[in-house]
Amino acid sequence: GLLTGAALASWDLFLDPQMVVAGHWRWSDPAPALPGVPQVPISNYVGWLFVAALMGVLLVLLLPRRTAPSDAVPIGLYLWTYASSVLSLSAFLGLPAAAAWGAAGMGLIAVPVAASVRRRPAPAQAP
């Protein structure tokens, strides 16, 4: 639950700077902010972390446990979101500080997930 919340909320390190620059929203007083990302207050990220963690915990508590045939699709989408966000903010959107913060924050989860995928044995093929 808490890890799920952190995984979701960390995407906001990429998303909010992008949305502010695109003119979708802004804060009247964004201070204090992360260095290099003065348009987004730190309280916004903390709020998203709290809400996402609460949602993750509630989902774990309220939904029945099910076994899935594979977690490859959600893991692939998460890693794609991570890599494409780092690339787009740094190379195309002119937001290198936001790209660095997002790479670090979301990387706390994405990098170990990617490493665990690389270590998994390949599934057995049906005859």
Side-chain angles (χ1 to χ4, degrees):
L2 293 176
L3 188 59
T4 299
L8 176 61
S10 64
W11 183 38
D12 201 49
L13 291 164
F14 293 112
L15 189 58
D16 265 326
Q18 229 178 304
M19 296 296 107
V20 169
V21 168
H24 296 296
W25 56 74
R26 68 179 179 85
W27 284 265
S28 58
D29 185 14
L34 295 173
V37 189
Q39 316 92 323
V40 182
I42 290 174
S43 61
N44 175 70
Y45 303 118
V46 173
W48 275 112
L49 181 59
F50 174 76
V51 169
L54 180 62
M55 287 173 39
V57 168
L58 288 174
L59 287 172
V60 167
L61 294 174
L62 299 175
L63 294 179
R65 294 202 182 261
R66 297 181 196 202
T67 56
S70 172
D71 55 3
V73 171
I75 287 175
L77 289 172
Y78 188 76
L79 295 176
W80 170 257
T81 299
Y82 174 68
S84 64
S85 294
V86 172
L87 176 64
S88 64
L89 269 69
S90 61
F92 303 114
L93 299 176
L95 298 168
W101 283 108
M106 197 171 178
L108 290 173
I109 295 170
V111 171
V113 166
S116 75
V117 168
R118 288 184 54 99
R119 287 191 298 267
R120 289 183 187 175
Q125 296 294 326

